[in-house]
Amino acid sequence: QLAENGRELDAAGAMDEEGDVVRISTIHHSKGLQFPVCIVAGLGAPFYTADLSGSLLLHAKKGLGLKITDPETRQRYSTLPREAISVLNKNAQISEELRVLYVAMTRAQDKLVLVCGMEGLDSRLQELGSQLQADWALRDEPIDPALSLAAKSYADWILSCLLLHPDCEELRERAGTA
């Protein structure tokens, strides 16, 4: 209608910080801020891991890790330094992802809404459930750090906690571990 009438959309007016508005922000931009209601979406999206699988990996302190090529067979092989750097980089990445999730989940003053859409939820629940079964009786104990490192998304951490929660019997049934 604006185009038909030869008009343009007016610029949005400046809002003060205390205005009754919806703010859309990245987790990084929300650090140090709090809001009455926070919606954290995309929890089922897989972590970015492409930089952990290249032929050449770098680490600030450990240096360079390379794959080598057998000149006769043209087969590529990883080296011990590359594997070590891959493990260090993955641990650093997972640690950063945990910090980001912590920031996201601590921005809400009154209400936190977590949104997780993912394909294959039942199969993922079954996989997580089978990994956690040894921890069922140990609900007061922390989740095995190896499981935290094996997480593929924020949803893995949240679902793991929910599967161990006493009130989540229905979720454990869906995971096939009740």
Side-chain angles (χ1 to χ4, degrees):
Q1 286 178 341
L2 290 171
E4 287 174 7
N5 295 330
R7 297 179 53 210
E8 291 185 18
L9 190 61
D10 294 332
M15 299 295 298
D16 63 37
E17 284 298 311
E18 302 303 317
D20 188 18
V21 297
V22 173
R23 297 185 203 304
I24 298 175
S25 173
T26 65
I27 295 169
H28 293 318
H29 283 109
S30 69
K31 192 171 182 179
L33 302 174
Q34 290 219 289
F35 306 95
V37 177
C38 287
I39 301 171
V40 183
L43 297 174
F47 295 137
Y48 179 78
T49 58
D51 55 352
L52 300 175
S53 60
S55 295
L56 175 130
L57 298 179
L58 293 171
H59 187 272
K61 293 183 180 173
K62 302 299 180 187
L64 179 68
L66 299 167
K67 283 188 176 181
I68 57 172
T69 303
D70 182 324
E72 292 178 17
T73 64
R74 305 299 292 159
Q75 286 283 103
R76 301 199 69 166
Y77 299 97
S78 191
T79 61
L80 186 58
R82 188 195 164 282
E83 291 300 310
I85 289 170
S86 178
V87 168
L88 291 170
N89 288 352
K90 180 175 183 182
N91 290 349
Q93 179 194 23
I94 291 293
S95 296
E96 178 60 18
E97 295 292 359
L98 273 169
R99 285 188 289 273
V100 168
L101 182 60
Y102 173 81
V103 167
M105 293 179 69
T106 57
R107 301 305 92 205
Q109 294 169 319
D110 302 323
K111 188 172 188 173
L112 174 65
V113 178
L114 302 175
V115 180
C116 174
M118 61 190 306
E119 290 185 30
L121 175 61
D122 286 333
S123 63
R124 191 66 190 138
L125 280 171
Q126 291 168 4
E127 187 178 335
L128 291 170
S130 66
Q131 293 170 347
L132 289 166
Q133 258 185 325
D135 295 333
W136 291 143
L138 307 172
R139 288 195 179 110
D140 294 333
E141 298 295 319
I143 292 174
D144 182 352
L147 294 180
S148 293
L149 288 172
K152 298 175 183 167
S153 68
Y154 296 125
D156 285 356
W157 291 321
I158 294 167
L159 290 171
S160 295
C161 293
L162 289 173
L163 284 168
L164 292 175
H165 194 278
D167 293 340
C168 291
E169 185 68 28
E170 189 176 316
L171 196 62
R172 283 190 292 283
E173 287 174 12
R174 196 166 170 180
T177 55

